[in-house]
């Protein structure tokens, strides 16, 4: 799924720490190319940085590295399963 509006405001975490992504009105089901993934991730990272400045949300470079590690790991597992 290509989510062109992936940002911090479209990510919810419930009381069980389950993550929900919302606001799919502009999303499309396509075969994602590397450039699509990079654009989504760049937009997401920018939104975290903006919210950090605006609202003091604690988000560090290490948080981003951890996120990318788990994102890459889950992507690799998905590719292996397919």
């Amino acid at each position: 799924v290509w989510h062109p509006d992936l940002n911090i405001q479209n990510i919810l975490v419930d009381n069980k720490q389950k993550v929900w992504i919302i606001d799919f009105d502009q999303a499309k089901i396509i075969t994602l190319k590397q450039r699509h993934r990079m654009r989504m991730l760049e937009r997401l990272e920018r939104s975290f940085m903006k919210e950090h400045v605006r609202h003091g949300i604690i988000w560090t470079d290490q948080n981003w590295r951890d996120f990318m590690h788990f994102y890459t790991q889950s992507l690799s597992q998905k590719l292996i399963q397919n």
Side-chain angles (χ1 to χ4, degrees):
V1 174
W2 178 58
H3 193 306
D5 193 24
L6 186 60
N7 64 69
I8 192 172
Q9 295 175 358
N10 291 336
I11 299 174
L12 306 175
V13 181
D14 68 17
N15 59 354
K16 295 181 182 176
Q17 299 303 301
K18 187 169 183 175
V19 176
W20 299 88
I21 299 174
I22 62 169
D23 195 11
F24 284 88
D25 63 315
Q26 297 178 26
K28 295 179 183 175
I29 297 175
I30 62 172
T31 301
L32 289 177
K33 295 181 179 174
Q34 183 64 21
R35 64 186 166 94
H36 293 126
R37 284 191 184 93
M38 293 309 298
R39 278 192 211 146
M40 284 191 309
L41 292 171
E42 288 166 358
R43 180 178 174 82
L44 180 60
E45 184 177 25
R46 281 192 312 270
S47 76
F48 275 99
M49 293 301 118
K50 286 179 185 176
E51 293 301 315
H52 172 73
V53 172
R54 285 186 198 159
H55 301 292
I57 292 172
I58 298 171
W59 186 256
T60 66
D61 289 338
Q62 184 61 50
N63 296 133
W64 185 255
R65 286 191 296 274
D66 292 343
F67 170 82
M68 288 303 298
H69 169 76
F70 290 111
Y71 174 81
T72 304
Q73 187 177 37
S74 67
L75 183 61
S76 296
Q77 289 175 356
K78 185 176 188 309
L79 291 174
I80 291 170
Q81 292 172 359
N82 291 335

